[in-house]
């Protein structure tokens, strides 16, 4: 026992932090931090810009393209005296010494435009808008999951914090009791068994306290890492009352809860938009069956001198009609792929509806169960405390044994730990039901 006491003292001395200002983190602050600093949410939010750009690009397909080209070239032809070459008739002729420099300047502007593409461009715009709204809903669901995960990690800290505080009180009680039993043992008022048993109980309480401290520190580390906070700083945690929620209404009317979830769940609404996007894709694929009319326009000029570049102008404008006759079954493939995508999206929507109802039902049952557990554990703590008080007084009077007293105390410790766990579970299950209903937000 003395060795254990020395180890605990050494650990406590090493783990004493420097005196620094501690930052207080409430549950609402933790949620806000998670929504703003969590790495996964930041990356997903950044990816949303790609969907926004795709909408702009889809609108751009309705507009003519515009290209501007300019060029300059220089050429020198140098002939030495006595040089011969073959003319266009195949005759050999002598060419005198000469050197000719030539330059060319050119400028052109033009582009292409679509007159008719089977309304593919308009369907593409609608599809990209739908995809963007779906991506926003996916991000919203990810935020709700992040809130729930933050609540889970925060509630664990509160649980270990209460457990640690109770375990400190437990150790103090056992240490005080050990001192009393030592005094009684020296007076030959109790047997050796009582002394040895209490020494063991005190040492065991010290070990449990160490475990509680370790679990508390690991819980803080997990939350700080999830929030992307600096783990080298010191923090305190407080469960602010604004997030101690009331019991959800309509727990006995699951149909109302199911309908609420189907109306409010971001992932369900997102999946409906994915199904709609598939229908737009089918329209785009079918546009390959229709003729395509496109046009082009342009202006160009060139000269050997820069000052004469606009003396010669060339304008062009044209239309072209493309009638699809055979495309190697590519259009048929695109249509069939779009049809399969619609079927799969519809099946995913039905599967998600069943999953949502299951999650709501499970969350509802869990909340009811944890509510009852909380009530039962509170009653058990009160009863165990009263029983322990009675047995403790009887032990002082010598009417019950040490074992009888410790059994009562063990029941009190167990009941208290159960109550702490039940209270944490009850808070978390409220948030779980809100998340299952699609009602969890940072308001």
């Amino acid at each position: 026992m003395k060795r254990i006491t020395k180890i605990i003292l050494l650990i406590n001395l090493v783990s004493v932090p420097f005196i620094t200002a501690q930052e207080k983190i409430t549950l609402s602050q933790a949620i806000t931090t998670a929504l703003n600093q969590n790495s996964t949410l930041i990356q997903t939010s950044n990816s949303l810009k790609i969907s926004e750009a795709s909408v702009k690009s889809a609108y751009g397909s309705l507009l003519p393209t515009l290209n501007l080209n300019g060029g300059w070239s220089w050429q020198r032809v140098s002939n030495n005296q006595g040089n011969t070459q073959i003319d266009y008739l195949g005759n050999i002729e002598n060419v005198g010494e000469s050197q000719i420099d030539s330059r060319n300047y050119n400028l052109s502007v033009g582009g292409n435009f679509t007159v008719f593409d089977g309304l593919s461009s308009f369907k593409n715009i609608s599809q990209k808008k739908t995809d963007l709204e779906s991506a926003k809903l996916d991000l919203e669901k990810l935020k709700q999951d992040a809130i729930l995960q933050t609540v889970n990690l925060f509630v664990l800290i509160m649980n270990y914090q209460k457990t640690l505080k109770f375990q400190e009180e437990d150790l103090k009680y056992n240490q005080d009791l050990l001192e009393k039993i030592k005094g009684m043992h020296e007076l030959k008022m109790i047997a050796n068994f009582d002394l040895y048993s209490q020494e063991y109980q005190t040492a065991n309480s010290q070990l449990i306290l160490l475990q509680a401290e370790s679990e508390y520190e690991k819980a803080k580390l997990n939350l700080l890492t999830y929030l992307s906070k600096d783990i080298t700083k010191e923090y305190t945690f407080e469960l602010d009352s604004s997030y101690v929620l009331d019991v959800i209404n309509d727990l006995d009317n699951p149909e109302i809860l199911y309908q609420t979830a189907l109306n409010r769940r971001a992932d369900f609404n997102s999946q409906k938009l994915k199904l709609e996007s598939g229908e737009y894709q089918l329209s785009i694929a079918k546009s390959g069956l229709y003729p395509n009319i496109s046009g082009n326009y342009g202006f160009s000029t060139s000269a050997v001198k820069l000052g004469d570049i606009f003396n010669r102008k060339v304008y062009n404008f044209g239309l072209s009609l493309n009638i699809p006759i055979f495309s190697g079954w590519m259009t048929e493939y695109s249509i069939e792929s779009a049809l399969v995508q619609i079927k799969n999206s519809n099946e995913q929507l039905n599967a998600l509806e069943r999953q949502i109802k299951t999650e709501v039902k499970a969350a509802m049952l869990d909340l009811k169960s944890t509510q009852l557990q909380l009530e039962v554990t509170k009653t058990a703590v009160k009863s165990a405390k009263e029983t322990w008080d009675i047995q403790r007084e009887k032990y002082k009077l010598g009417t019950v044994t040490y074992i009888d007293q410790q059994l009562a105390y063990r029941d009190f410790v167990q009941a208290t730990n159960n109550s702490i766990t039940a209270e944490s579970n009850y808070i978390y299950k409220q948030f779980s039901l809100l998340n299952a209903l699609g009602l969890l937000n940072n308001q």
Side-chain angles (χ1 to χ4, degrees):
M1 178 183 171
K2 291 182 179 179
R3 181 177 299 176
I4 294 174
T5 304
K6 291 179 179 179
I7 293 174
I8 295 172
L9 180 59
L10 178 60
I11 293 176
N12 288 334
L13 289 175
V14 173
S15 62
V16 172
F18 292 104
I19 300 176
T20 57
Q22 293 184 333
E23 177 183 345
K24 184 174 74 172
I25 300 178
T26 64
L27 178 55
S28 57
Q29 291 172 341
I31 291 174
T32 300
T33 302
L35 295 179
N36 292 329
Q37 296 183 201
N38 180 261
S39 179
T40 302
L41 286 177
I42 292 175
Q43 294 179 53
T44 305
S45 180
N46 291 338
S47 299
L48 195 63
K49 296 179 181 179
I50 299 177
S51 299
E52 294 172 349
S54 67
V55 174
K56 187 176 181 179
S57 176
Y59 274 109
S61 65
L62 297 177
L63 304 175
T65 61
L66 180 63
N67 301 301
L68 176 64
N69 296 297
W72 170 81
S73 64
W74 170 80
Q75 183 181 34
R76 170 177 289 179
V77 178
S78 180
N79 289 316
N80 296 326
Q81 186 176 6
N83 186 29
T84 61
Q85 67 178 27
I86 299 176
D87 62 13
Y88 291 107
L89 299 177
N91 300 316
I92 299 176
E93 62 177 353
N94 292 321
V95 180
E97 183 180 1
S98 66
Q99 179 174 295
I100 302 174
D101 289 351
S102 63
R103 293 172 176 80
N104 181 63
Y105 302 89
N106 64 81
L107 178 68
S108 65
V109 59
N112 303 291
F113 59 91
T114 300
V115 179
F116 180 75
D117 61 356
L119 302 179
S120 174
S121 296
F122 293 99
K123 295 297 182 180
N124 185 49
I125 291 173
S126 298
Q127 183 187 39
K128 297 307 180 184
K129 284 183 176 180
T130 302
D131 292 342
L132 175 59
E133 292 304 315
S134 176
K136 289 180 178 179
L137 289 173
D138 289 339
L139 177 60
E140 182 63 26
K141 183 62 174 72
L142 191 62
K143 288 181 178 180
Q144 292 175 348
D145 292 339
I147 292 175
L148 185 62
Q149 178 64 6
T150 303
V151 171
N152 179 40
L153 296 174
F154 199 95
V155 167
L156 281 177
I157 290 178
M158 294 295 99
N159 180 79
Y160 290 127
Q161 194 175 72
K162 293 178 181 178
T163 301
L164 179 60
K165 182 178 180 181
F166 176 75
Q167 205 57 49
E168 290 171 348
E169 296 174 354
D170 173 72
L171 177 58
K172 186 176 185 305
Y173 162 75
N174 280 289
Q175 288 174 337
D176 293 342
L177 181 59
L178 178 59
E179 293 301 319
K180 293 178 181 179
I181 290 178
K182 283 182 177 180
M184 296 171 67
H185 181 264
E186 291 176 356
L187 298 174
K188 308 298 183 180
M189 297 175 62
I190 58 174
N192 293 337
F193 173 79
D194 291 6
L195 176 61
Y196 299 151
S197 296
Q198 185 56 37
E199 286 178 339
Y200 166 78
Q201 188 65 36
T202 303
N204 187 59
S205 180
Q206 290 174 323
L207 290 176
I208 295 175
L209 176 61
L210 278 178
Q211 293 173 355
E213 290 176 344
S214 176
E215 293 297 330
Y216 178 57
E217 292 301 323
K218 287 190 292 185
K220 290 196 297 183
L221 182 62
N222 289 337
L223 176 62
L224 295 174
T225 301
Y226 188 75
L227 299 181
S228 301
K229 301 282 283 186
D230 186 357
I231 63 172
T232 62
K233 295 182 179 180
E234 294 297 322
Y235 303 89
T236 59
F237 301 88
E238 179 183 320
L239 185 64
D240 46 330
S241 58
S242 61
Y243 275 92
V244 179
L245 307 178
D246 296 330
V247 179
I248 308 298
N249 296 324
D250 299 317
L251 288 181
D252 296 322
N253 195 339
E255 291 300 326
I256 294 179
L257 298 181
Y258 296 153
Q259 194 58 48
T260 299
L262 295 178
N263 290 336
R264 297 295 300 272
R265 282 280 291 256
D267 52 346
F268 187 73
N269 291 322
S270 175
Q271 186 59 42
K272 288 195 293 185
L273 290 176
K274 288 181 174 66
L275 177 59
E276 184 179 342
S277 177
E279 293 171 350
Y280 286 127
Q281 183 61 40
L282 177 61
S283 298
I284 294 173
K286 287 182 177 180
S287 67
L289 300 173
Y290 302 104
N292 183 285
I293 302 175
S294 60
N296 61 84
Y297 65 97
F299 164 80
S300 62
T301 181
S302 62
V304 296
K305 294 181 179 181
L306 183 60
D308 299 334
I309 191 169
F310 287 107
N311 291 342
R312 182 175 180 272
K313 305 179 182 68
V314 179
Y315 301 91
N316 69 281
F317 180 86
L319 292 174
S320 62
L321 173 65
N322 178 36
I323 301 176
I325 297 176
F326 180 70
S327 62
W329 296 286
M330 289 302 298
T331 301
E332 181 182 351
Y333 170 77
S334 299
I335 293 174
E336 188 62 30
S337 297
L339 287 171
V340 170
Q341 179 182 341
I342 291 175
K343 291 179 181 179
N344 289 341
S345 296
N346 190 62
E347 180 59 31
Q348 291 171 4
L349 184 65
N350 293 332
L352 183 57
E353 180 177 351
R354 293 191 295 270
Q355 177 186 334
I356 288 174
K357 290 182 178 180
T358 300
E359 291 177 358
V360 171
K361 183 69 173 179
M364 181 178 63
L365 294 175
D366 286 343
L367 182 59
K368 284 184 176 180
S369 175
T370 54
Q371 184 179 6
L372 292 175
Q373 289 175 9
L374 181 60
E375 295 173 356
V376 170
T377 55
K378 286 182 177 180
T379 302
V381 169
K382 182 179 179 181
S383 176
K385 179 66 167 57
E386 292 175 351
T387 301
W388 173 49
D389 289 340
I390 293 173
Q391 294 297 88
R392 184 170 50 178
E393 292 300 321
K394 287 184 177 180
Y395 178 71
K396 292 179 180 178
L397 298 174
T399 57
V400 297
T401 64
Y402 171 82
I403 295 178
D404 293 329
Q405 176 195 241
Q406 286 306 99
L407 286 176
Y409 180 68
R410 185 191 63 183
D411 292 341
F412 168 67
V413 171
Q414 185 62 49
T416 302
N417 287 327
N418 291 341
S419 179
I420 292 173
T421 302
E423 184 177 356
S424 299
N425 287 340
Y426 180 59
I427 295 173
Y428 176 70
K429 293 302 180 182
Q430 291 183 68
F431 283 90
S432 296
L433 180 55
L434 287 176
N435 189 47
L437 295 174
L439 301 176
L440 191 57
N441 52 57
N442 194 30
Q443 302 297 325

